Amino acid sequence: SKFGSYVGNVNADGPFVYCGFKPAWVMIKRSSAADSWAIFDSSRDSTNPVERLLRAEGTNAEATMTSLVSNPFGDFLSNGFKVGNTSSIDNSGTYIFAAFAESPFQTANAK
């Protein structure tokens, strides 16, 4: 697992967040404003781009990024994730995140 923060750039070519593994599950929340937690996973989106999300405390608990902001979240890569839209949900401020590996013992970066 990896926990940290990143700063969005409000650009469709958003920030890359290095995790050291391919994420199976990522939860993010904008810490610079009041927003919901957004959870993305590779079970419901097994190919890129990752689009489906869960809102942990929202009344619209399950949604798609295209229904909310017309663009998918981004991509899960072999060593992290890349945001690929200009949404305030995940790319316009400072965000905290929690990421969990798809195969934690196959591609772990431990020594």
Side-chain angles (χ1 to χ4, degrees):
S1 59
K2 174 115 177 164
F3 304 89
S5 65
Y6 69 90
V7 177
N9 62 10
V10 195
N11 188 308
D13 185 20
F16 166 73
V17 179
Y18 177 80
C19 297
F21 52 79
K22 182 175 184 180
W25 189 90
V26 173
M27 181 169 63
I28 62 170
K29 182 182 189 318
R30 185 163 55 158
S31 61
S32 57
D35 263 342
S36 296
W37 289 95
I39 302 167
F40 302 93
D41 64 84
S42 62
S43 293
R44 288 173 307 128
D45 280 316
S46 58
T47 61
N48 285 323
V50 175
E51 179 179 2
R52 294 180 181 102
L53 75 143
L54 298 171
R55 305 295 292 245
E57 73 284 353
T59 55
N60 59 339
E62 188 167 8
T64 62
M65 287 294 289
T66 53
S67 70
L68 297 174
V69 296
S70 302
N71 294 30
F73 166 68
D75 296 326
F76 283 176
L77 306 171
S78 63
N79 58 352
F81 62 93
K82 181 161 178 54
V83 179
N85 66 58
T86 58
S87 165
S88 64
I89 294 171
D90 51 27
N91 195 13
S92 69
T94 302
Y95 297 83
I96 55 176
F97 73 90
F100 295 90
E102 189 170 89
S103 302
F105 299 110
Q106 288 182 337
T107 59
N109 60 359
K111 295 184 181 188

